[in-house]
Amino acid sequence: MNAPRQVDPAEDAHRAELAFLAAHDSGPRPPGWRLTPRAVVTFVTGSGGDALALPAGARADGLPARMVISPKFVGERALVERAVVTLAGERGLLLVGEPGTAKSMLSELLAAAVSGTSQLVVQGTAGTTEDQLRYGWNYALLLAEGPSPRALVPSPVLTAMRDGAVVRVEEVTRCLPEVQDALVSILSDRRIAVPELSGTDGATVHAAPGFTVIATANLRDRGVSEMSAALKRRFNFEAVGPIGDLAAETALVRRQATAALQRVSAPFAVDDVVLEALVTAFRDLRNGVSEEGWAVERPSTVMSTAEAVSVAASLGLAEAYFPGDRDPLSLLPGHLLGVVRKDDPGDAARLLGYWDGAVRRRAETGARTWRRLWELRDVLDS
């Protein structure tokens, strides 16, 4: 029996959908791909609420004859299509954007749909070494037997090259320049030399058809380790921006917060009015302008959708575990204050300015929710 997990990887969480799409679309597939490019896009963006039907004679293997594919990434379909075309051409894909814009989630979904696994990952940090991009050694075997294929420990990149799969490199700009340089030769030569195995069949590992790299980088981390021009040329860049539509972002926050509470067997009982106020506040502070066009001073903290999901989940947990103590709306100002203080404690004054501006003006129009939030101003001033 498998142990419970807090979060399932995409290929496990959406196993039925992936199997259905493999049977649904039997069109041409690039080498090594589990799904057609069109099916990959459908897996990521959803079927638009329509139930897809298996073609006559298709092997169902216990799957239903019809299935609605859920949307998993909220963003432009054209962006997803460009990303899929990049991967189909076996070119590196670099997803850039502000923190919390679902770059990692998109890379995970793409890898799961293309290769059947999203778990070939290198997490970029200042401590990431070149070995983590190439290979290492089992030193006990190395001392006992000397260099041998059995003693070699492949990196996720080397494994992806052997299998013709997608490998993910998260936060590539956090890696030191010499580590990034290792990617240049991998993406150019499509092979890794193992000098210690010289004279054997394992001296060079060549990339199998289908191998490619999806990397992510936060725009705010450019100063950590700027990518070289040589490495940039080996990637197609795609910018992943914040969700443009209030209703779509609110629906995503509800969906993700509900899923977070389901993992702890708690119901999500936060009212839609509270969620809309939460997402509206995040959007106002993120954009530097309210929905009505009023100027808002932006905090230095990134007011991302991911942070909004975290706050919504916290409100849901408070309602689930302390029912009736306080209504979720009364907790919202305190949670917003905690978010804006993350990068600069001085941003508390900017949040207070938002309350004295946009929140007050909405309260004056008679909007009940915003009137109640205006009455809670003292929470920010204490």
Side-chain angles (χ1 to χ4, degrees), residues 10-353:
E11 59 271 20
D12 291 342
H14 308 291
R15 187 182 301 277
E17 289 189 2
L18 290 169
F20 182 91
L21 286 168
H24 169 74
D25 191 342
S26 59
R29 307 177 188 188
W33 282 41
R34 301 291 186 93
L35 302 179
T36 67
R38 185 184 300 276
V40 172
V41 174
T42 301
F43 172 70
V44 174
T45 61
S47 59
D50 298 328
L52 303 181
L54 289 178
R59 291 183 58 191
D61 292 332
L63 293 171
R66 300 172 65 85
M67 181 178 287
V68 176
I69 306 301
S70 63
K72 301 161 193 72
F73 172 75
V74 179
E76 295 181 4
R77 183 183 177 91
L79 182 153
V80 179
E81 290 177 348
R82 291 194 302 270
V84 170
V85 168
T86 295
L87 298 176
E90 297 181 338
R91 184 168 171 79
L93 172 65
L94 181 64
L95 302 173
V96 300
E98 295 284 349
T101 49
K103 300 180 298 296
S104 295
M105 183 181 74
L106 178 56
S107 74
E108 179 183 353
L109 292 168
L110 290 169
V114 170
S115 303
T117 178
S118 62
Q119 299 184 71
L120 296 174
V121 187
V122 176
Q123 180 61 53
T125 69
T128 302
T129 65
E130 189 175 338
D131 289 354
Q132 290 172 267
L133 287 178
R134 298 170 67 85
Y135 59 89
W137 295 99
N138 180 322
Y139 286 102
L141 286 174
L142 187 66
L143 291 172
E145 303 175 356
S148 68
R150 202 162 77 95
L152 186 140
V153 178
S155 70
V157 177
L158 189 63
T159 300
M161 293 177 74
R162 286 174 170 170
D163 297 344
V166 174
V167 64
R168 302 161 54 212
V169 181
E170 294 290 326
E171 307 285 4
V172 66
T173 53
R174 288 190 172 275
C175 298
L176 296 175
E178 57 268 26
V179 177
Q180 293 184 25
D181 287 345
L183 271 179
V184 175
S185 61
I186 290 170
L187 289 170
S188 298
D189 303 332
R190 302 288 166 152
R191 60 180 178 266
I192 291 180
V194 187
E196 296 89 343
L197 300 180
S198 180
T200 71
D201 292 340
T204 303
V205 177
H206 295 270
F211 165 74
T212 191
V213 177
I214 303 177
T216 65
N218 284 328
L219 291 176
R220 294 205 176 197
D221 289 340
R222 280 180 175 173
V224 176
S225 293
E226 178 66 31
M227 292 174 65
S228 68
L231 184 54
K232 287 178 180 178
R233 286 195 300 270
R234 284 155 177 83
F235 283 105
N236 280 358
F237 282 56
E238 288 294 343
V240 182
I243 300 171
D245 181 68
L246 171 62
E249 186 169 5
T250 303
L252 176 64
V253 169
R254 169 171 282 283
R255 190 163 61 246
Q256 296 286 346
T258 300
L261 264 70
Q262 284 176 345
R263 290 196 290 270
V264 295
S265 301
F268 184 73
V270 178
D271 190 87
D272 284 342
V273 173
V274 177
L275 274 188
E276 186 173 325
L278 161 65
V279 176
T280 298
F282 265 79
R283 291 169 64 86
D284 292 347
L285 293 163
R286 177 197 308 150
N287 297 330
V289 61
S290 73
E291 297 284 334
E292 299 85 353
W294 305 324
V296 173
E297 190 173 4
R298 296 175 61 183
S300 55
T301 300
V302 178
M303 305 298 291
S304 67
T305 303
E307 287 281 9
V309 170
S310 178
V311 172
S314 295
L315 296 178
L317 287 169
E319 180 67 14
Y321 292 133
F322 305 101
D325 284 9
R326 296 176 69 182
D327 68 283
L329 189 62
S330 69
L331 302 175
L332 181 54
H335 282 289
L336 284 172
L337 184 60
V339 172
V340 301
R341 279 176 169 170
K342 284 187 177 181
D343 286 348
D344 180 3
D347 281 338
R350 294 183 175 89
L351 182 60
L352 194 59

